């Protein structure tokens, strides 16, 4: 099973990319071995959504100063090195979810984890995405569908 | 796909903070200010939208009590639409509301509160070693159990609500689900698992029924000594340790309380109205001023803007209120200091008073005499307050005490669902009207006031439990409840005021706190202490 979790707050504009992308995947239709979860701003419950997946994909917003809509795929070693410290339920991000997930699920934690972060432009109160972010969500949704359907050849970075 | 190297710590999310400023003189807190540093404009987002937008928007305000937001926004619409709500729908709403709170109790204790109990200040306690063995973050034996089992109750929420958190399955006229027998039996078994594995084996060391026989503080003390299992349970250890480290001696708070109450009786709230709400509640609403109980009346709620970064200087009822933020720089010049308004309640004598909300307030209201036989009557926490006074310890006890009560409720409600009957009755269109919906989130009183005109939301006001508790001073100079609770606290080490963290966390406010301690005589900053959840 593959679990895909979209994190973020739908009423903070671009912060809603995660949950919005999950809805897009639902509309596009995913294979039966894929489980979609709207992680929202649930913090620890994102971890409980992982379930018994062999593979985990997390989508979240970020603010690095890059061009709005830029999609980052977090390198494997960054995902590997998520220390279990300074975690706080009110400021719980993808890296905390992974750290906590490893602690909670131990040997059952998915062997393969991919994190996509989309650069946000506007995190003010309200709904809807900025055009650049919206475009990236559509592209990323299609990419993820190809990936989980086994249509995308993975190029190893090693 | 662009690939770039990034540094992980820079990917921070904006997050609201609460700054607690205290002045310390001779080791005791002499004054306190709670400053919410972020404008939260949810009410602004809703204006001009479809009347039902609150069902989608408000559950996204919070990642821990989104279900409570949904409950009260659904009832606000029920009262505005004049809907008919079938008993099944009320049962499901009650179950959902209760399991969300059940999730919060162990998660709050192990992932937030108990961590402070492992602080090095308490190393000299004879119980310190046992406390850290059980409750130290990530390595404590019961920390792990508590955190993992806290996910169980909301599995029941997801069965009926489709997902947890942020579900929008309650709608005016009922709920959007058609449960099957297997949904009900699965829920019963999940609840039974949570009851046995956390409540009875870890927290109480006895059956739920045995604990619920306790009606007074002396009953609790007898229960403690009755069996080794009680004495050695997490609750037994908490009570003993609290008395040893003094959690029963400070953090009393304002001594005046408010509960909106929760859980309408399924047959007595089929036509929800603002006026009929109080008399339909199983867990009763009310106001207690330390001497007398009063009926809760939403018309007596006010929000004072005097010290808040919003336009306005007086106090306003939520139907008249408004949320026009000011630039904090400008606000500071006007003597304002926080983005929280100051909720107040107009008493019979004409005073507008701050009131504490939360489990302690709730458990006081259910001790009021004159309950119907189907309503909750429970004198335990009231007796404890009368015997030993309110404190950090008593606030925690009130929260724990709700776990067995809520499990018992949910067990009964699950049995009452009639799978052959309706879960939803379609209401008419809402063109114009006003509604009030309230519930009790884990943290306390939570309510919406909605006004609809020409089929659109004209006004929407939300008052959260955190606002009641962390609100600032009002125009009469009366402090908010947590500001009051902090004063008089003995601080062992002014550079590391863990005692203030216990108080703030005891209220379980929805904001991350940073405590700033200052010397009252020299105004020198002594400490900046971030009260994190881990």
């Amino acid at each position: 099973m593959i679990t895909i979790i979209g994190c973020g707050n739908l009423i903070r504009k671009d912060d809603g990319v995660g949950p919005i992308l999950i809805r897009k995947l639902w509309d596009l239709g995913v294979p039966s071995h894929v489980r979609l979860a709207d992680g929202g701003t649930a913090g620890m419950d994102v971890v409980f959504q992982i379930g018994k997946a062999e593979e985990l994909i997390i989508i979240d917003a970020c603010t690095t100063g890059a061009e709005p809509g830029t999609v980052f795929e977090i390198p494997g070693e960054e995902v590997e090195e998520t220390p279990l410290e300074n975690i706080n339920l009110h400021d719980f991000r993808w890296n905390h979810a992974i750290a906590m997930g490893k602690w909670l699920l131990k040997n059952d934690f998915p062997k393969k984890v991919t994190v996509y972060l989309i650069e946000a432009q506007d995190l003010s109160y309200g709904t809807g995405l900025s055009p650049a972010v919206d475009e990236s969500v559509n592209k990323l949704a299609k990419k993820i569908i190809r990936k989980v359907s086994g249509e995308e050849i993975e190029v190893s970075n090693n | 796909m662009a690939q770039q190297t990034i540094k992980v710590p820079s990917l921070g999310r904006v997050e609201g903070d609460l700054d607690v400023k205290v002045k310390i003189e001779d080791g005791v807190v002499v004054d306190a200010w709670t400053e919410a540093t972020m404008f939260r404009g949810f009410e602004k987002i809703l204006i001009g939208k479809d009347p039902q937008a609150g069902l989608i928007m408000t559950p996204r305000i919070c990642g821990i009590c989104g279900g409570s937001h949904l409950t009260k926004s659904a009832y606000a619409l029920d009262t505005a639409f004049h809907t008919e709500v079938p008993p099944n729908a009320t049962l499901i709403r009650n179950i959902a509301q209760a399991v969300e709170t059940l999730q919060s109790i162990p998660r709050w204790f192990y992932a937030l509160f108990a961590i402070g109990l492992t602080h090095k200040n308490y190393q000299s306690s004879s119980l310190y070693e046992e406390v850290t063995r059980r409750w130290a973050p990530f390595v404590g034996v019961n920390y792990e159990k508590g955190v993992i089992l806290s996910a169980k109750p909301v599995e029941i929420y997801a069965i009926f609500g489709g997902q947890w958190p942020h579900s929008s399955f309650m709608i005016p006229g009922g709920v959007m689900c058609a449960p099957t027998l297997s949904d009900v039996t699965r829920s019963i078994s999940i609840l039974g698992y949570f009851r046995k594995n956390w409540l009875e084996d870890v927290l109480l060391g006895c059956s739920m029924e045995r604990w619920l026989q306790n009606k007074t503080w002396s009953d609790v003390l007898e229960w403690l000594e009755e069996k080794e299992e009680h004495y050695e349970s997490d609750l037994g250890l908490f009570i003993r340790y609290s008395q040893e480290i003094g959690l029963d001696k400070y953090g009393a708070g304002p001594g005046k309380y408010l509960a909106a109450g929760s859980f309408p009786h399924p047959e007595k709230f089929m036509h929800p109205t603002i006026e009929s709400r109080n008399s339909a509640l199983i867990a009763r609403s009310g106001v207690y001023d330390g001497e007398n109980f009063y009926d809760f009346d939403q018309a007596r709620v006010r929000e004072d803007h005097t010290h808040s970064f919003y336009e306005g200087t007086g106090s306003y009822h939520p139907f008249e209120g408004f949320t026009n933020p000011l630039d904090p720089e400008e606000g500071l010049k006007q003597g304002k200091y926080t983005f929280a308004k100051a909720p107040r309640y107009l008493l019979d004598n004409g005073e507008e008073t701050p009131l504490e909300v939360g489990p302690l307030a709730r458990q006081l209201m259910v001790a009021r005499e004159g309950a119907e036989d189907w309503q909750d009557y429970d004198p335990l926490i009231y007796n404890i307050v009368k015997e030993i006074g309110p404190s950090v310890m008593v606030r925690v006890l009130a929260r724990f005490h709700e776990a067995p009560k809520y499990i018992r409720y949910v067990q009964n409600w699950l049995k009452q669902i009639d799978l052959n009957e309706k879960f939803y009755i379609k209401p008419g269109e809402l063109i114009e009207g006003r509604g009030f919906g309230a519930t009790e989130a884990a943290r306390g009183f939570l309510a919406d006031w909605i006004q609809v005109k020409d089929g659109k939301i004209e006004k929407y006001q939300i008052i959260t439990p955190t606002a009641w508790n962390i609100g600032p001073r009002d125009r009469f100079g009366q402090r908010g409840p947590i500001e009051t609770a902090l004063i008089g606290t003995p601080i062992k080490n002014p550079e590391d005021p863990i005692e203030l963290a216990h108080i703030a966390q005891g209220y379980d406010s929805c904001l991350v706190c940073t405590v700033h301690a200052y010397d009252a005589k020299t105004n020198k900053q002594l400490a900046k202490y971030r009260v994190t959840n881990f």
Side-chain angles (χ1 to χ4, degrees):
Chain A
M1 189 178 80
I2 302 175
T3 298
I4 307 177
I5 306 176
C7 306
N9 196 339
L10 279 177
I11 47 180
R12 296 289 302 273
K13 295 199 173 157
D14 289 341
D15 192 44
V17 285
I20 288 169
L21 193 131
I22 293 293
R23 284 162 176 67
K24 287 244 190 302
L25 293 172
W26 177 259
D27 291 340
L28 291 166
V30 290
S32 59
H33 66 282
V34 175
R35 201 171 149 268
L36 299 173
D38 167 358
T41 55
M44 205 185 273
D45 291 276
V46 169
V47 180
F48 295 120
Q49 293 289 352
I50 296 170
K52 296 225 179 304
E54 294 86 46
E55 186 179 341
L56 171 66
I57 299 173
I58 294 181
I59 301 108
D60 203 345
C62 64
T63 48
T64 64
E67 197 64 31
T70 306
V71 179
F72 298 100
E73 185 169 340
I74 301 296
E77 61 271 19
E78 291 279 10
V79 176
E80 282 297 309
E81 294 167 16
T82 45
L84 200 57
E85 59 190 33
N86 298 327
I87 292 185
N88 166 330
L89 289 179
H90 284 270
D91 193 4
F92 198 93
R93 300 193 322 252
W94 61 269
N95 51 321
H96 302 131
I98 289 168
M100 193 130 194
K102 286 178 175 172
W103 169 74
L104 266 176
L105 300 171
K106 301 185 173 64
N107 289 335
D108 292 337
F109 189 76
K111 298 288 170 278
K112 186 166 188 295
V113 181
T114 314
V115 179
Y116 294 106
L117 302 176
I118 302 179
E119 181 73 17
Q121 182 172 358
D122 181 358
L123 295 173
S124 62
Y125 292 95
T127 52
L129 300 176
S130 313
V133 175
D134 192 44
E135 197 181 327
S136 296
V137 166
N138 288 324
K139 280 188 192 155
L140 183 57
K142 292 190 182 103
K143 177 190 163 85
I144 290 174
I145 296 273
R146 287 197 304 272
K147 183 180 160 81
V148 299
S149 309
E151 293 166 22
E152 185 150 299
I153 309 295
E154 302 256 349
V155 181
S156 156
N157 296 332
N158 304 337
Chain B
M1 285 284 148
Q3 289 263 355
Q4 275 179 254
T5 311
I6 47 168
K7 278 170 63 188
V8 172
S10 66
L11 303 170
R13 244 211 203 114
V14 182
E15 183 62 51
D17 263 348
L18 177 70
D19 279 344
V20 177
K21 287 193 176 154
V22 297
K23 284 197 168 171
I24 297 175
E25 197 170 323
D26 303 326
V28 175
V29 175
V30 291
D31 210 348
W33 295 263
T34 46
E35 305 178 0
T37 55
M38 242 179 108
F39 168 59
R40 306 182 69 172
F42 301 104
E43 292 120 325
K44 293 289 239 199
I45 303 175
L46 287 160
I47 292 169
K49 291 203 159 47
D50 181 282
Q52 299 193 58
L55 302 172
I56 309 290
M57 299 278 193
T58 68
R60 299 264 166 191
I61 290 175
C62 181
I64 287 279
C65 53
S68 306
H69 278 280
L70 179 64
T71 306
K72 51 76 177 141
S73 64
Y75 279 118
L77 291 169
D78 282 319
T79 57
F81 273 86
H82 304 295
T83 60
E84 183 177 348
V85 180
N88 271 342
T90 303
L91 288 167
I92 300 278
R93 288 180 185 187
N94 287 353
I95 290 164
Q97 178 64 72
V99 296
E100 182 172 87
T101 302
L102 283 171
Q103 162 266 155
S104 183
I105 298 167
R107 189 168 304 184
W108 163 84
F109 181 72
Y110 297 98
L112 180 85
F113 189 84
I115 292 169
L117 302 178
T118 64
H119 192 273
K120 58 184 185 303
N121 269 14
Y122 309 125
Q123 276 167 336
S124 58
S125 160
S126 61
L127 299 169
Y128 183 76
E129 201 177 322
E130 181 61 14
V131 163
T132 49
R133 190 185 72 83
R134 286 191 207 186
W135 299 334
F138 300 110
V139 294
V141 284
N142 290 355
Y143 174 92
E144 185 165 351
K145 279 183 198 164
V147 166
I148 291 173
L149 290 165
S150 73
K152 281 285 160 198
V154 286
E155 287 178 10
I156 299 171
Y157 199 111
I159 287 172
F160 296 110
Q163 66 176 65
W164 188 89
H166 314 312
S167 174
S168 296
F169 84 111
M170 302 176 194
I171 47 176
V175 289
M176 278 198 290
C177 62
T180 61
L181 184 59
S182 79
D183 290 335
V184 175
T185 52
R186 263 177 66 213
S187 300
I188 291 170
S189 95
I190 292 167
L191 193 68
Y193 183 87
F194 179 73
R195 171 183 166 162
K196 170 149 194 351
N197 289 283
W198 179 66
L199 182 85
E200 295 181 339
D201 289 359
V202 176
L203 182 69
L204 300 177
C206 67
S207 72
M208 182 170 94
E209 290 76 12
R210 169 64 193 90
W211 170 261
L212 289 170
Q213 286 168 358
N214 295 333
K215 301 294 177 207
T216 63
W217 178 231
S218 65
D219 285 353
V220 171
L221 296 175
E222 277 171 39
W223 166 88
L224 192 63
E225 303 292 340
E226 185 179 291
K227 281 192 179 152
E228 194 179 351
E229 289 85 355
H230 304 178
Y231 192 80
E232 291 297 344
S233 69
D234 271 6
L235 183 56
L237 178 63
F238 172 76
I239 293 169
R240 290 181 290 128
Y241 190 62
S242 292
Q243 293 176 297
E244 197 163 285
I245 66 173
L247 292 185
D248 56 340
K249 299 285 187 296
Y250 62 84
K256 297 177 179 178
Y257 307 87
L258 162 73
S262 54
F263 312 136
H265 185 286
E267 263 93 45
K268 298 186 194 297
F269 211 46
M270 290 170 67
H271 299 277
T273 61
I274 299 177
E275 296 72 27
S276 65
R277 183 176 177 276
N278 283 336
S279 60
L281 295 171
I282 295 169
R284 290 172 291 158
S285 59
V287 171
Y288 176 63
D289 67 1
E291 288 175 18
N292 299 300
F293 288 100
Y294 303 92
D295 291 347
F296 165 66
D297 177 2
Q298 65 79 30
R300 293 173 170 272
V301 173
R302 300 285 183 274
E303 285 184 295
D304 189 304
H305 292 209
T306 308
H307 292 284
S308 314
F309 296 138
Y310 298 97
E311 285 176 13
T313 51
S315 72
Y316 312 88
H317 182 271
F319 278 141
E320 276 69 56
F322 43 90
T323 306
N324 303 332
L326 295 172
D327 181 335
E329 291 290 322
E330 202 46 50
L332 285 168
K333 289 178 197 158
Q334 299 173 31
K336 297 172 181 265
Y337 63 89
T338 175
F339 269 118
K341 294 174 184 176
R344 293 293 181 263
Y345 190 84
L346 181 65
L347 292 171
D348 286 357
N349 62 10
E351 275 178 38
E352 275 182 32
T353 186
L355 296 170
E356 170 177 331
V357 303
L360 179 53
R362 283 197 285 272
Q363 292 310 306
L364 288 167
M365 300 316 153
V366 296
R368 189 180 183 179
E369 299 296 333
E372 301 282 343
D373 60 8
W374 50 269
Q375 288 180 311
D376 183 15
Y377 172 72
D378 179 355
L380 175 66
I381 298 296
Y382 178 78
N383 177 272
I384 295 177
V385 167
K386 284 282 171 213
E387 290 291 325
I388 59 173
S391 63
V392 175
M393 178 183 87
V394 172
R395 213 165 272 120
V396 177
L397 286 180
R399 199 178 298 267
F400 277 145
H401 182 55
E402 289 188 330
K405 293 176 76 164
Y406 284 18
I407 291 173
R408 192 168 57 173
Y409 281 142
V410 176
Q411 282 176 340
N412 291 331
W413 291 327
L414 284 165
K415 288 180 198 145
Q416 290 171 36
I417 297 169
D418 183 343
L419 296 169
N420 301 315
E421 282 295 332
K422 291 180 184 152
F423 289 83
Y424 171 63
I425 297 168
K426 193 176 168 57
E429 213 175 341
L430 182 62
I431 305 299
E432 192 147 335
R434 54 169 45 180
F436 162 73
T439 190
E440 286 285 331
R443 292 149 194 77
F445 178 109
L446 177 62
D448 282 0
W449 284 261
I450 183 174
Q451 292 178 81
V452 176
K453 200 175 167 188
D454 303 328
K456 296 265 190 301
I457 293 173
E458 184 186 31
K459 209 168 229 193
Y460 209 100
Q461 287 292 312
I462 304 163
I463 301 188
T464 60
T466 294
W468 279 101
N469 287 335
I470 65 128
R473 288 156 171 75
D474 55 26
R475 65 189 184 283
F476 308 108
Q478 301 179 100
R479 294 182 184 92
I482 289 185
E483 290 179 338
T484 301
L486 293 165
I487 291 170
T489 306
I491 305 295
K492 188 174 170 184
N493 175 5
E495 285 169 17
D496 188 6
I498 183 71
E499 297 85 354
L500 304 180
H502 297 321
I503 296 171
Q505 292 174 335
Y507 277 98
D508 192 17
S509 53
C510 310
L511 298 165
V512 180
C513 287
T514 309
V515 176
H516 306 260
Y518 297 89
D519 187 299
K521 290 175 185 143
T522 62
N523 262 339
K524 190 175 129 247
Q525 178 151 347
L526 301 166
K528 188 170 160 188
Y529 187 95
R530 193 173 164 82
V531 182
T532 54
N533 294 27
F534 287 90

